[in-house]
Amino acid sequence: MKIIAHRGGGGLAPENTLDAIAAGLKHHADEIEIDVRVTGDAVPVLSHDPTLLIDGKPTPIALLTLDDIWKTHPDAPTLAEALETINQAPYPAIAHLDVKPGEPTEPIAEVIRECLTSGSYTLDSILLASKSQKTLRELHRELPDLGTVVIENWSGVRARRRARRLGTTRLSMRASWLWSGFLSGMHRHGYQITPYTMNDPKKVRKWQKYLYGVVTDYPDRFTKR
C-alpha cells in the first residue's frame, strides 16, 4: 500500500512548506502530495487556500506577485522549489500535484516541462491531480504522458466517468463517504483508490486489501521502512 503524504506532511510541519515535504520524505512516503496555485505574475506556488493574509486581510493569490507573498510569507515555496526538494530524496518519491480548480495550467505545465527536459524527473515521477475535470483535461492536453489522478468528494459514478474520460484508474476519494462494499467493487474493476485524509492506521487496516494507497497527514504512523 502506497503512503501519500498530504500537503507534504502537514501533520508534522506547516502544510505545503519545504519543511513539510522534508518531513514526508524523512518518513519514506511513496508520494508527496502538494497543493498548487498560481500567482498574479504566473509563478506556481504551494497553497491549499486561494487567499493569503496580507496586512491582516485575506488576499487572493491570483492578485499577488511572488515578491508580495514572500514579504509576509517567506516560507511559501514555489512549485519549482518543491519539485527540487522532492527530487533530492534518497529514494524515488513521486511528486503528486493537486492543482486547484480554476488555476491557469500553462505556468504549471512549464515548470514541469523544465524538470522533465533537465533530466531531474522522469515521466513516472510526477502525477497530476485535481477535483476539477476541466483543469485535469487542460493539464493532460499539455502533458499527455503524465499520469492523472481524479479527486472526487463522494460520487463513485462521477469518479468512474471522469476516470474513463481521462484514461486513468487512479481515484482519490473522501474517506468519510467510503465503505467496504464500494471499495471491494472498485478494486475488482481495476480502480486504484486512495482515500483522503486518513490518519488512523487501525481504520486503514480494515480496508487495506482494497486500497492502492492512503493519503495521510502523518506518514510517520505508516512508516514501512
Side-chain angles (χ1 to χ4, degrees), residues 30-174:
D30 298 288
E31 299 178 10
I32 304 296
E33 187 261 6
I34 48 180
D35 299 315
V36 183
R37 295 190 180 275
V38 179
T39 67
D41 54 346
V43 179
V45 295
L46 271 53
S47 178
H48 175 268
D49 297 335
T51 62
L52 289 173
L53 283 178
I54 304 294
D55 296 329
K57 298 179 181 179
T59 306
I61 291 171
L63 299 181
L64 297 168
T65 67
L66 183 61
D67 284 344
D68 292 335
I69 293 172
W70 278 353
K71 286 175 184 175
T72 52
H73 300 273
D75 61 343
T78 66
L79 175 59
E81 290 172 327
L83 290 174
E84 181 180 359
T85 300
I86 296 169
N87 189 53
Q88 292 171 353
Y91 65 94
I94 292 174
H96 182 132
L97 312 184
D98 178 357
V99 179
K100 294 307 179 184
E103 296 296 323
T105 56
E106 178 53 36
I108 297 168
E110 184 58 32
V111 169
I112 295 171
R113 288 191 198 103
E114 289 176 5
C115 288
L116 294 173
T117 56
S118 71
S120 58
Y121 272 87
T122 58
L123 292 173
D124 59 356
S125 59
I126 299 177
L127 287 170
L128 304 170
S130 186
K131 287 184 178 179
S132 164
Q133 189 75 348
K134 179 177 183 290
T135 296
L136 271 181
R137 284 200 310 268
E138 290 177 359
L139 288 167
H140 184 60
R141 187 162 51 244
E142 293 166 357
L143 299 160
D145 296 321
L146 295 188
T148 54
V149 181
V150 168
I151 305 176
E152 180 59 48
N153 277 336
W154 62 272
S155 173
V157 172
R158 185 167 55 220
R160 290 192 296 269
R161 182 173 65 245
R162 290 180 59 196
R164 284 195 301 269
R165 291 176 177 174
L166 288 162
T168 185
T169 57
R170 279 290 301 265
L171 302 175
S172 185
M173 301 189 70
R174 188 181 297 276

Side-chain angles (χ1 to χ4, degrees), residues 1-5 8 12 20-32 89-94 214 216 218-225:
M1 185 178 69
K2 304 296 184 184
I3 306 306
I4 303 160
L12 305 176
I21 292 171
L25 294 172
K26 176 183 177 181
H27 295 286
H28 298 274
D30 298 288
E31 299 178 10
I32 304 296
Y91 65 94
I94 292 174
V214 60
T216 180
Y218 297 95
D220 57 317
R221 299 178 183 176
F222 298 86
T223 296
K224 300 180 293 183
R225 301 170 178 83

